[in-house]
Amino acid sequence: MRYYSVALIVVRRYSYPASSTCLAIGYATRYKSCVARWKKCILHHRANPQLARIIPRGNDNLYRLLITIGGSIRDLAPVILVIGFFQIVILGNPIPNLGDIAVGIVLVLLGLTLFVRGLEIGLFPLGEALAYSFAKKGSLWWLLIFAFSLGFGTTVAEPALIAVAKEAANVAVEAGMIQSSEAARMEYALGLRFTVALSVGFAIVLGVFRILRGWPVQYLILGGYAGVVIMTGFAPEEIIGIAYDSGGVTTSTITVPMVTALGVGLASSIQGRNPFSDGFGLIAFASLTPMIFVMGYGMLIQ
């Protein structure tokens, strides 16, 4: 039995300062001939970062957008079902402002879809391309400076961290830790934000250095949590909960995509590194170090 196939592979090769695109069109009447043409093109660009994809239909962007919308509906459905079940069945109350809630759900669906699609076509490829470029440049210091700047910049602008820092300042006023003036609140919140941002910058540098050296991630994580346990015994009681929550808010909408892309891209660019075992783990460091730094911050301002 013969298999007939017509295929189009698009391989984009990125380089700085300009980018070039290589189009390899393999037309074949037999399957083996078509595969041979694909392999020839891919092997030709193996030394460069690639974005290879098989175009399934005419309008690929629309197709992928519809797939993303379906994924967003699937992700939101359990949340909506759980809330509706407890509101109607368990509590026996009607859903208030049903129209407003429906509009809100649609807006959340659209926002989540656009966000995920933006990550796929923007942040993830950009992070991987930057990691490859720095690895190709061969400068360790510039790579570490970029890693710290990326961790610091994405964290200090994290909306979840801004909200938590503001709420922490209000709680600190009620606990008598700081004065009730607006200036004292802003200073406390800003200090907390910069402390967390510095900790994430340090975490990304440590994670990048781990990828370069090939260190096992589990030993560093265990040592870090041992440090968290030790510092918990010395930190002020009022700051411990904030410190623990700071580790969660740093791994949110802005930080995670860029940091993940950096780790995977760097591990993919270094010979002898596995993107699965070496590329991941930066988020764990970004969640761990804020707990240590924030407890240290609380001990300093006590």
Side-chain angles (χ1 to χ4, degrees), residues 58-123:
N59 195 336
D60 183 59
N61 288 329
L62 178 60
Y63 172 75
R64 293 180 182 273
L65 181 61
L66 293 176
I67 293 297
T68 306
I69 292 175
S72 300
I73 295 175
R74 179 195 60 204
D75 295 337
L76 286 177
V79 179
I80 297 173
L81 291 176
V82 168
I83 294 176
F85 174 78
F86 279 91
Q87 178 73 17
I88 299 174
V89 178
I90 303 300
L91 298 178
N93 297 328
I95 299 178
N97 303 322
L98 184 59
D100 294 339
I101 293 177
V103 172
I105 292 175
V106 172
L107 293 177
V108 170
L109 176 63
L110 293 176
L112 181 61
T113 300
L114 295 176
F115 175 71
V116 172
R117 187 66 184 134
L119 294 181
E120 293 175 351
I121 66 176
L123 291 185

Side-chain angles (χ1 to χ4, degrees), residues 226-236 240 291-297 299:
V228 170
V229 173
I230 293 173
M231 290 199 66
T232 302
F234 298 95
I240 293 176
M291 293 186 281
I292 299 176
F293 276 63
V294 171
M295 283 190 284
Y297 173 72
M299 295 169 65

Side-chain angles (χ1 to χ4, degrees), residues 155-200:
T155 303
V156 78
E158 190 68 63
L161 177 60
I162 295 174
V164 169
K166 184 177 180 180
E167 186 63 26
N170 295 331
V171 174
V173 170
E174 296 177 0
M177 297 177 59
I178 60 175
Q179 298 178 356
S180 59
S181 63
E182 187 64 26
R185 294 172 188 262
M186 292 182 60
E187 182 180 359
Y188 184 87
L190 190 62
L192 185 61
R193 284 177 58 195
F194 274 93
T195 300
V196 175
L198 286 171
S199 69
V200 175

Side-chain angles (χ1 to χ4, degrees), residues 34-47:
C34 186
V35 171
R37 290 175 180 266
W38 296 358
K39 290 182 178 180
K40 183 178 180 180
C41 177
I42 293 175
L43 289 174
H44 178 69
H45 295 285
R46 176 168 288 180

